[in-house]
Coordinates of all heavy atoms in Angstrom, one line a residue:
M486 N -14.1 3.7 -4.6 CA -13.8 2.4 -5.0 C -12.5 2.0 -4.3 O -11.5 2.7 -4.5 CB -13.7 2.3 -6.5 CG -13.4 0.9 -7.0 SD -13.7 0.6 -8.8 CE -12.8 1.9 -9.6
R487 N -12.5 1.0 -3.5 CA -11.3 0.6 -2.8 C -10.5 -0.5 -3.6 O -11.1 -1.4 -4.1 CB -11.7 0.0 -1.4 CG -10.5 -0.3 -0.6 CD -10.9 -0.7 0.8 NE -9.9 -1.5 1.4 CZ -10.1 -2.5 2.2 NH1 -11.3 -2.8 2.6 NH2 -9.1 -3.3 2.6
F488 N -9.2 -0.3 -3.7 CA -8.4 -1.2 -4.4 C -8.0 -2.4 -3.5 O -8.1 -2.3 -2.3 CB -7.1 -0.5 -5.0 CG -6.4 0.3 -4.0 CD1 -5.4 -0.3 -3.2 CD2 -6.7 1.6 -3.8 CE1 -4.7 0.5 -2.2 CE2 -6.0 2.4 -2.9 CZ -5.0 1.8 -2.1
D489 N -7.6 -3.5 -4.1 CA -7.3 -4.7 -3.4 C -5.8 -4.9 -3.1 O -5.5 -5.5 -2.2 CB -7.9 -5.9 -4.2 CG -9.4 -5.8 -4.4 OD1 -10.1 -5.9 -3.4 OD2 -9.8 -5.6 -5.6
K490 N -5.0 -4.4 -4.0 CA -3.6 -4.5 -3.9 C -2.9 -3.2 -4.3 O -3.5 -2.5 -5.1 CB -3.0 -5.7 -4.8 CG -3.5 -7.0 -4.4 CD -2.9 -8.1 -5.3 CE -3.4 -9.5 -4.9 NZ -2.9 -10.5 -5.8
I491 N -1.8 -3.0 -3.7 CA -1.0 -1.8 -4.1 C 0.4 -2.1 -4.3 O 1.0 -3.0 -3.6 CB -1.2 -0.7 -3.0 CG1 -0.5 0.6 -3.4 CG2 -0.7 -1.2 -1.6 CD1 -0.9 1.8 -2.5
R492 N 1.0 -1.6 -5.3 CA 2.4 -1.8 -5.6 C 3.2 -0.5 -5.8 O 2.7 0.4 -6.5 CB 2.5 -2.6 -6.9 CG 3.9 -3.0 -7.3 CD 3.9 -3.8 -8.6 NE 3.0 -4.9 -8.6 CZ 2.2 -5.2 -9.7 NH1 2.3 -4.5 -10.8 NH2 1.3 -6.2 -9.6
F493 N 4.3 -0.4 -5.0 CA 5.1 0.8 -5.1 C 6.4 0.5 -5.8 O 6.9 -0.6 -5.7 CB 5.5 1.4 -3.7 CG 4.3 1.9 -2.9 CD1 3.7 1.1 -2.0 CD2 3.8 3.2 -3.1 CE1 2.6 1.5 -1.3 CE2 2.8 3.6 -2.4 CZ 2.1 2.8 -1.5
S494 N 6.9 1.5 -6.6 CA 8.2 1.3 -7.2 C 9.2 2.3 -6.6 O 8.8 3.3 -6.0 CB 8.1 1.5 -8.7 OG 7.7 2.8 -9.0
E495 N 10.5 2.0 -6.8 CA 11.5 2.9 -6.2 C 11.5 4.3 -6.7 O 11.9 5.2 -6.0 CB 12.9 2.3 -6.5 CG 13.1 1.0 -5.8 CD 14.5 0.4 -6.1 OE1 15.3 1.0 -6.8 OE2 14.7 -0.8 -5.7
D496 N 11.0 4.6 -7.9 CA 10.9 5.9 -8.4 C 9.7 6.7 -8.0 O 9.5 7.8 -8.6 CB 11.1 5.9 -10.0 CG 9.9 5.2 -10.6 OD1 9.0 4.7 -9.9 OD2 9.8 5.1 -11.9
G497 N 8.9 6.2 -7.1 CA 7.7 6.9 -6.6 C 6.5 6.5 -7.3 O 5.4 7.1 -7.1
G498 N 6.6 5.6 -8.2 CA 5.4 5.1 -8.9 C 4.5 4.3 -8.0 O 5.0 3.7 -7.1
V499 N 3.2 4.2 -8.4 CA 2.3 3.4 -7.6 C 1.3 2.7 -8.6 O 1.0 3.3 -9.6 CB 1.5 4.2 -6.6 CG1 0.6 5.3 -7.2 CG2 0.7 3.3 -5.6
S500 N 0.9 1.5 -8.4 CA -0.1 0.8 -9.1 C -1.2 0.3 -8.1 O -0.8 -0.3 -7.2 CB 0.5 -0.4 -9.9 OG 1.4 0.0 -10.9
L501 N -2.4 0.6 -8.4 CA -3.5 0.2 -7.6 C -4.2 -0.9 -8.4 O -4.6 -0.7 -9.6 CB -4.5 1.3 -7.4 CG -3.9 2.6 -6.8 CD1 -5.0 3.6 -6.6 CD2 -3.2 2.3 -5.5
L502 N -4.3 -2.1 -7.8 CA -4.9 -3.3 -8.5 C -6.2 -3.7 -7.9 O -6.3 -3.8 -6.7 CB -3.9 -4.4 -8.5 CG -2.6 -4.2 -9.1 CD1 -1.6 -3.6 -8.2 CD2 -2.0 -5.5 -9.7
Y503 N -7.2 -3.9 -8.7 CA -8.5 -4.2 -8.3 C -8.8 -5.7 -8.7 O -8.3 -6.1 -9.7 CB -9.6 -3.3 -8.9 CG -9.4 -1.8 -8.5 CD1 -8.5 -1.0 -9.1 CD2 -10.2 -1.3 -7.4 CE1 -8.4 0.3 -8.7 CE2 -10.0 0.0 -7.0 CZ -9.1 0.8 -7.6 OH -9.0 2.1 -7.2
N504 N -9.7 -6.3 -8.0 CA -10.0 -7.7 -8.3 C -10.7 -7.9 -9.6 O -10.7 -9.0 -10.2 CB -10.9 -8.4 -7.2 CG -10.1 -8.9 -6.0 OD1 -8.8 -9.1 -6.1 ND2 -10.7 -9.0 -4.9
N505 N -11.3 -6.8 -10.1 CA -12.0 -6.9 -11.4 C -11.0 -6.7 -12.6 O -11.5 -6.7 -13.8 CB -13.1 -5.9 -11.5 CG -12.6 -4.4 -11.5 OD1 -11.4 -4.2 -11.5 ND2 -13.6 -3.5 -11.5
G506 N -9.7 -6.6 -12.3 CA -8.7 -6.5 -13.4 C -8.3 -5.1 -13.7 O -7.3 -4.9 -14.4
L507 N -9.0 -4.1 -13.1 CA -8.6 -2.7 -13.3 C -7.3 -2.4 -12.6 O -7.1 -2.8 -11.5 CB -9.7 -1.8 -12.8 CG -9.4 -0.3 -12.8 CD1 -9.4 0.2 -14.3 CD2 -10.5 0.5 -12.0
V508 N -6.4 -1.7 -13.3 CA -5.1 -1.3 -12.7 C -5.0 0.2 -13.0 O -5.1 0.7 -14.1 CB -3.9 -2.0 -13.4 CG1 -2.6 -1.5 -12.8 CG2 -4.0 -3.5 -13.2
L509 N -4.8 1.0 -11.9 CA -4.5 2.4 -12.1 C -3.1 2.7 -11.7 O -2.6 2.4 -10.6 CB -5.5 3.2 -11.1 CG -7.0 3.0 -11.4 CD1 -7.8 3.8 -10.3 CD2 -7.3 3.5 -12.8
D510 N -2.4 3.3 -12.6 CA -1.0 3.7 -12.4 C -0.9 5.2 -12.1 O -1.6 6.0 -12.6 CB -0.1 3.3 -13.6 CG 0.0 1.8 -13.8 OD1 0.2 1.1 -12.8 OD2 -0.1 1.4 -14.9
G511 N 0.1 5.5 -11.3 CA 0.3 6.9 -11.0 C 1.6 7.1 -10.1 O 2.5 6.4 -10.2
T512 N 1.5 8.2 -9.3 CA 2.6 8.6 -8.5 C 2.2 8.7 -7.0 O 1.1 9.2 -6.8 CB 3.2 9.9 -9.0 OG1 3.5 9.8 -10.3 CG2 4.4 10.3 -8.2
A513 N 3.0 8.3 -6.1 CA 2.8 8.4 -4.7 C 3.7 9.6 -4.2 O 4.9 9.6 -4.4 CB 3.1 7.1 -3.9
V514 N 3.1 10.5 -3.4 CA 3.8 11.6 -2.8 C 3.6 11.6 -1.3 O 2.4 11.6 -0.9 CB 3.3 12.9 -3.4 CG1 4.1 14.1 -2.7 CG2 3.6 13.0 -4.9
V515 N 4.7 11.5 -0.6 CA 4.6 11.5 0.9 C 5.1 12.8 1.4 O 6.1 13.4 1.0 CB 5.5 10.3 1.4 CG1 5.7 10.4 2.9 CG2 5.0 9.0 0.9
E516 N 4.3 13.3 2.4 CA 4.7 14.5 3.1 C 4.5 14.2 4.6 O 3.3 14.2 5.1 CB 3.9 15.7 2.7 CG 4.1 16.1 1.3 CD 3.3 17.3 0.8 OE1 2.9 18.1 1.7 OE2 3.1 17.4 -0.4
G517 N 5.6 13.9 5.3 CA 5.4 13.6 6.8 C 4.6 12.3 6.9 O 4.9 11.3 6.4
T518 N 3.5 12.4 7.7 CA 2.7 11.2 7.9 C 1.5 11.1 6.9 O 0.7 10.2 7.1 CB 2.1 11.2 9.3 OG1 1.3 12.4 9.5 CG2 3.3 11.1 10.4
S519 N 1.5 12.0 5.9 CA 0.4 11.9 4.9 C 0.9 11.4 3.6 O 2.1 11.5 3.3 CB -0.3 13.3 4.8 OG 0.6 14.2 4.2
M520 N 0.1 10.8 2.8 CA 0.4 10.3 1.5 C -0.7 10.6 0.5 O -1.9 10.4 0.9 CB 0.7 8.8 1.6 CG 1.1 8.1 0.3 SD 1.2 6.3 0.3 CE 2.4 6.0 1.5
T521 N -0.4 11.0 -0.7 CA -1.4 11.2 -1.7 C -1.0 10.3 -2.9 O 0.2 10.4 -3.4 CB -1.5 12.6 -2.1 OG1 -1.8 13.4 -1.0 CG2 -2.6 12.8 -3.2
L522 N -1.9 9.6 -3.4 CA -1.7 8.7 -4.6 C -2.4 9.5 -5.8 O -3.6 9.7 -5.8 CB -2.3 7.4 -4.4 CG -1.9 6.6 -3.2 CD1 -2.7 5.3 -3.1 CD2 -0.4 6.4 -3.1
Y523 N -1.6 9.9 -6.8 CA -2.1 10.6 -7.9 C -2.3 9.6 -9.1 O -1.3 9.2 -9.7 CB -1.1 11.7 -8.3 CG -1.0 12.8 -7.3 CD1 0.0 12.8 -6.3 CD2 -2.0 13.9 -7.3 CE1 0.0 13.8 -5.3 CE2 -1.9 14.9 -6.3 CZ -0.9 14.8 -5.3 OH -0.9 15.8 -4.4
V524 N -3.5 9.3 -9.3 CA -3.9 8.3 -10.4 C -4.9 9.0 -11.3 O -5.4 10.1 -11.0 CB -4.4 7.0 -9.8 CG1 -3.3 6.3 -9.0 CG2 -5.6 7.2 -8.9
S525 N -5.3 8.3 -12.4 CA -6.1 8.9 -13.4 C -7.5 9.3 -12.9 O -8.1 10.2 -13.5 CB -6.2 7.9 -14.6 OG -6.8 6.7 -14.2
I526 N -8.0 8.6 -11.9 CA -9.4 9.0 -11.4 C -9.3 10.2 -10.5 O -10.3 10.6 -9.9 CB -10.1 7.8 -10.7 CG1 -9.3 7.3 -9.5 CG2 -10.3 6.7 -11.7 CD1 -10.0 6.3 -8.7
G527 N -8.1 10.7 -10.2 CA -7.9 11.9 -9.3 C -7.1 11.5 -8.1 O -6.8 10.3 -7.9
P528 N -6.7 12.5 -7.4 CA -5.8 12.2 -6.2 C -6.6 11.5 -5.1 O -7.8 11.7 -4.9 CB -5.4 13.6 -5.7 CG -6.4 14.5 -6.3 CD -6.9 13.9 -7.5
I529 N -5.9 10.5 -4.5 CA -6.4 9.8 -3.3 C -5.6 10.1 -2.1 O -4.5 9.7 -2.0 CB -6.4 8.3 -3.6 CG1 -7.2 7.9 -4.9 CG2 -7.0 7.5 -2.4 CD1 -7.0 6.5 -5.3
P530 N -6.1 11.0 -1.2 CA -5.3 11.4 -0.1 C -5.5 10.5 1.1 O -6.6 10.0 1.4 CB -5.9 12.8 0.2 CG -7.3 12.7 -0.2 CD -7.3 11.8 -1.4
Y531 N -4.4 10.3 1.9 CA -4.4 9.6 3.1 C -3.8 10.5 4.2 O -2.7 11.1 4.0 CB -3.7 8.3 3.0 CG -4.4 7.3 2.1 CD1 -4.0 7.2 0.8 CD2 -5.4 6.5 2.6 CE1 -4.6 6.3 -0.1 CE2 -6.1 5.7 1.7 CZ -5.6 5.6 0.4 OH -6.3 4.7 -0.4
D532 N -4.5 10.7 5.3 CA -4.0 11.6 6.4 C -2.8 10.9 7.1 O -2.0 11.6 7.7 CB -5.1 12.0 7.3 CG -6.1 12.9 6.7 OD1 -5.7 13.7 5.8 OD2 -7.3 12.8 7.0
Y533 N -2.8 9.6 7.2 CA -1.8 8.9 8.0 C -1.4 7.6 7.3 O -2.3 6.8 6.9 CB -2.4 8.6 9.4 CG -1.4 7.9 10.3 CD1 -0.3 8.5 10.8 CD2 -1.4 6.5 10.4 CE1 0.7 7.9 11.6 CE2 -0.5 5.8 11.2 CZ 0.6 6.5 11.7 OH 1.5 5.9 12.5
W534 N -0.2 7.3 7.3 CA 0.3 6.1 6.7 C 1.5 5.6 7.6 O 2.1 6.4 8.3 CB 0.8 6.2 5.3 CG 2.1 6.9 5.1 CD1 2.2 8.3 5.1 CD2 3.4 6.4 5.1 NE1 3.6 8.6 4.9 CE2 4.3 7.5 4.9 CE3 3.9 5.1 5.1 CZ2 5.7 7.3 4.8 CZ3 5.3 4.9 5.0 CH2 6.1 6.0 4.8
S535 N 1.7 4.3 7.7 CA 2.8 3.7 8.4 C 3.1 2.3 7.8 O 2.3 1.7 7.2 CB 2.5 3.6 9.9 OG 1.5 2.7 10.2
I536 N 4.3 1.9 8.1 CA 4.7 0.5 7.7 C 5.3 -0.1 9.0 O 6.2 0.4 9.6 CB 5.8 0.5 6.6 CG1 5.2 1.0 5.3 CG2 6.2 -1.0 6.4 CD1 6.1 1.1 4.2
E537 N 4.8 -1.3 9.3 CA 5.3 -2.0 10.5 C 5.7 -3.4 10.0 O 5.0 -4.1 9.3 CB 4.3 -2.1 11.6 CG 3.9 -0.8 12.1 CD 2.7 -0.9 13.1 OE1 2.2 -2.0 13.3 OE2 2.3 0.1 13.7
E538 N 6.9 -3.9 10.5 CA 7.3 -5.3 10.2 C 7.0 -6.1 11.4 O 7.1 -5.7 12.6 CB 8.8 -5.3 10.0 CG 9.3 -6.6 9.6 CD 10.8 -6.6 9.3 OE1 11.2 -5.8 8.4 OE2 11.6 -7.3 9.9
F539 N 6.5 -7.4 11.2 CA 6.2 -8.3 12.3 C 6.6 -9.7 11.9 O 6.5 -10.1 10.8 CB 4.7 -8.2 12.7 CG 3.7 -8.6 11.7 CD1 3.2 -9.9 11.7 CD2 3.2 -7.6 10.8 CE1 2.3 -10.2 10.7 CE2 2.3 -8.0 9.9 CZ 1.8 -9.3 9.8
D540 N 7.1 -10.4 12.9 CA 7.6 -11.7 12.8 C 6.4 -12.6 13.3 O 6.0 -12.6 14.4 CB 8.8 -11.9 13.7 CG 9.4 -13.3 13.6 OD1 8.8 -14.2 13.1 OD2 10.6 -13.4 13.9
A541 N 6.0 -13.5 12.4 CA 4.8 -14.4 12.7 C 5.3 -15.7 13.2 O 4.5 -16.6 13.5 CB 4.0 -14.6 11.5
G542 N 6.7 -15.9 13.4 CA 7.2 -17.2 13.8 C 7.5 -18.1 12.7 O 7.1 -17.9 11.6
Y543 N 8.3 -19.1 13.0 CA 8.7 -20.1 12.0 C 9.4 -19.6 10.8 O 9.3 -20.1 9.7 CB 7.5 -21.0 11.7 CG 6.9 -21.7 12.9 CD1 5.8 -21.2 13.4 CD2 7.5 -22.8 13.4 CE1 5.2 -21.9 14.5 CE2 7.0 -23.5 14.5 CZ 5.8 -23.0 15.1 OH 5.3 -23.6 16.2
G544 N 10.0 -18.4 10.9 CA 10.7 -17.8 9.8 C 9.9 -16.9 8.9 O 10.4 -16.4 7.9
Y545 N 8.6 -16.8 9.2 CA 7.7 -16.0 8.4 C 7.7 -14.5 8.9 O 7.4 -14.3 10.1 CB 6.3 -16.5 8.4 CG 6.1 -17.8 7.7 CD1 6.3 -19.0 8.3 CD2 5.8 -17.8 6.3 CE1 6.1 -20.2 7.6 CE2 5.7 -19.0 5.6 CZ 5.9 -20.2 6.3 OH 5.7 -21.3 5.6
V546 N 8.0 -13.6 8.0 CA 8.1 -12.2 8.4 C 7.2 -11.4 7.4 O 7.2 -11.7 6.2 CB 9.5 -11.6 8.4 CG1 9.6 -10.2 8.8 CG2 10.4 -12.5 9.3
F547 N 6.5 -10.4 7.9 CA 5.5 -9.7 7.1 C 5.7 -8.2 7.3 O 6.2 -7.8 8.4 CB 4.1 -10.0 7.5 CG 3.7 -11.4 7.2 CD1 4.0 -12.4 8.2 CD2 3.1 -11.8 6.0 CE1 3.7 -13.7 7.9 CE2 2.8 -13.2 5.8 CZ 3.1 -14.1 6.7
E548 N 5.3 -7.4 6.3 CA 5.2 -5.9 6.5 C 3.8 -5.6 6.4 O 3.0 -6.1 5.5 CB 6.0 -5.2 5.4 CG 7.5 -5.2 5.6 CD 8.2 -4.4 4.6 OE1 7.7 -4.2 3.4 OE2 9.3 -3.9 4.9
N549 N 3.3 -4.6 7.2 CA 1.9 -4.2 7.2 C 1.9 -2.7 6.9 O 2.4 -1.9 7.7 CB 1.3 -4.4 8.6 CG -0.1 -4.1 8.7 OD1 -0.8 -4.1 7.7 ND2 -0.6 -3.8 9.9
L550 N 1.4 -2.3 5.7 CA 1.2 -0.9 5.3 C -0.2 -0.5 5.8 O -1.2 -1.2 5.4 CB 1.3 -0.8 3.8 CG 0.9 0.6 3.2 CD1 1.8 1.7 3.7 CD2 0.8 0.5 1.7
K551 N -0.3 0.5 6.6 CA -1.6 1.1 7.0 C -1.8 2.4 6.3 O -1.0 3.3 6.4 CB -1.6 1.2 8.5 CG -1.7 -0.1 9.2 CD -1.9 0.1 10.7 CE -1.8 -1.2 11.5 NZ -1.9 -1.0 12.9
L552 N -2.9 2.5 5.7 CA -3.3 3.8 5.0 C -4.7 4.2 5.7 O -5.7 3.6 5.4 CB -3.5 3.6 3.5 CG -2.3 3.2 2.7 CD1 -2.6 2.9 1.3 CD2 -1.2 4.3 2.8
D553 N -4.6 5.2 6.6 CA -5.8 5.6 7.3 C -6.6 4.4 7.9 O -7.8 4.4 7.9 CB -6.8 6.4 6.4 CG -6.3 7.8 6.1 OD1 -5.3 8.3 6.8 OD2 -6.8 8.5 5.2
G554 N -5.8 3.5 8.5 CA -6.4 2.4 9.3 C -6.7 1.2 8.4 O -7.0 0.1 9.0
I555 N -6.5 1.2 7.1 CA -6.7 0.1 6.3 C -5.4 -0.6 6.0 O -4.4 0.1 5.7 CB -7.4 0.4 4.9 CG1 -8.7 1.1 5.1 CG2 -7.4 -0.8 4.0 CD1 -9.4 1.6 3.9
S556 N -5.3 -1.9 6.3 CA -4.0 -2.6 6.2 C -3.9 -3.4 4.9 O -4.8 -4.0 4.4 CB -4.0 -3.7 7.3 OG -3.9 -3.0 8.6
Y557 N -2.6 -3.3 4.4 CA -2.2 -4.1 3.3 C -0.9 -4.8 3.7 O 0.1 -4.2 4.1 CB -1.9 -3.2 2.1 CG -3.1 -2.5 1.6 CD1 -3.4 -1.2 2.1 CD2 -4.0 -3.0 0.6 CE1 -4.6 -0.6 1.7 CE2 -5.1 -2.4 0.2 CZ -5.4 -1.2 0.7 OH -6.5 -0.5 0.3
V558 N -1.0 -6.2 3.7 CA 0.1 -7.0 4.2 C 0.8 -7.7 3.1 O 0.2 -8.2 2.2 CB -0.5 -8.0 5.2 CG1 0.6 -8.9 5.8 CG2 -1.2 -7.3 6.4
R559 N 2.2 -7.8 3.3 CA 3.0 -8.6 2.3 C 4.0 -9.4 3.1 O 4.5 -8.9 4.1 CB 3.7 -7.7 1.3 CG 4.9 -7.0 1.8 CD 5.6 -6.3 0.6 NE 6.8 -5.6 1.1 CZ 7.8 -5.3 0.4 NH1 7.8 -5.7 -0.9 NH2 8.8 -4.7 0.8
Q560 N 4.2 -10.6 2.6 CA 5.2 -11.5 3.2 C 6.6 -11.1 2.6 O 6.7 -11.0 1.4 CB 4.9 -12.9 2.8 CG 5.8 -13.9 3.5 CD 5.3 -15.4 3.2 OE1 4.2 -15.6 2.9 NE2 6.3 -16.3 3.3
I561 N 7.6 -10.9 3.5 CA 8.9 -10.6 3.1 C 9.9 -11.7 3.4 O 11.1 -11.6 2.9 CB 9.4 -9.2 3.7 CG1 9.4 -9.2 5.2 CG2 8.5 -8.1 3.1 CD1 9.9 -8.0 5.8
A562 N 9.6 -12.7 4.1 CA 10.5 -13.8 4.4 C 9.7 -15.0 4.8 O 8.6 -14.9 5.4 CB 11.5 -13.5 5.5
G563 N 10.2 -16.2 4.6 CA 9.6 -17.5 4.9 C 8.8 -18.1 3.8 O 8.6 -17.5 2.7
G564 N 8.4 -19.3 4.0 CA 7.6 -20.0 3.1 C 8.3 -20.6 1.9 O 8.1 -20.9 0.9

């Protein structure tokens, strides 16, 4: 089951949010380029993760989190 949104906290916490209202809370652990999300349904491993910032112009800036090729984008400036 793929989540729709992901929220990280400064203390290593993670929340996976689904469009059906389900929220799974847990912990994110990073080791080099791999990341594992430990939530109640079991660990969700990712072999590769990265974050890239991009400027879309007109003052709009975004961050793109990639987890094994799946992108999660958030706006960090503009609008």
Side-chain angles (χ1 to χ4, degrees):
M486 181 164 55
R487 186 172 152 215
F488 50 89
D489 300 295
K490 295 180 183 179
I491 185 168
R492 183 180 311 137
F493 293 98
S494 61
E495 292 179 10
D496 65 357
V499 65
S500 295
L501 308 180
L502 297 92
Y503 296 83
N504 278 342
N505 66 2
L507 177 66
V508 178
L509 299 176
D510 293 315
T512 304
V514 177
V515 172
E516 294 180 25
T518 60
S519 66
M520 180 187 300
T521 303
L522 308 178
Y523 293 95
V524 293
S525 59
I526 61 171
I529 304 172
Y531 294 96
D532 293 325
Y533 180 78
W534 72 277
S535 68
I536 297 177
E537 299 173 354
E538 186 176 300
F539 62 95
D540 186 337
Y543 300 101
Y545 290 91
V546 181
F547 298 86
E548 283 183 335
N549 184 25
L550 168 65
K551 290 185 183 177
L552 298 173
D553 286 347
I555 297 172
S556 292
Y557 297 90
V558 178
R559 75 174 182 154
Q560 183 176 338
I561 58 174

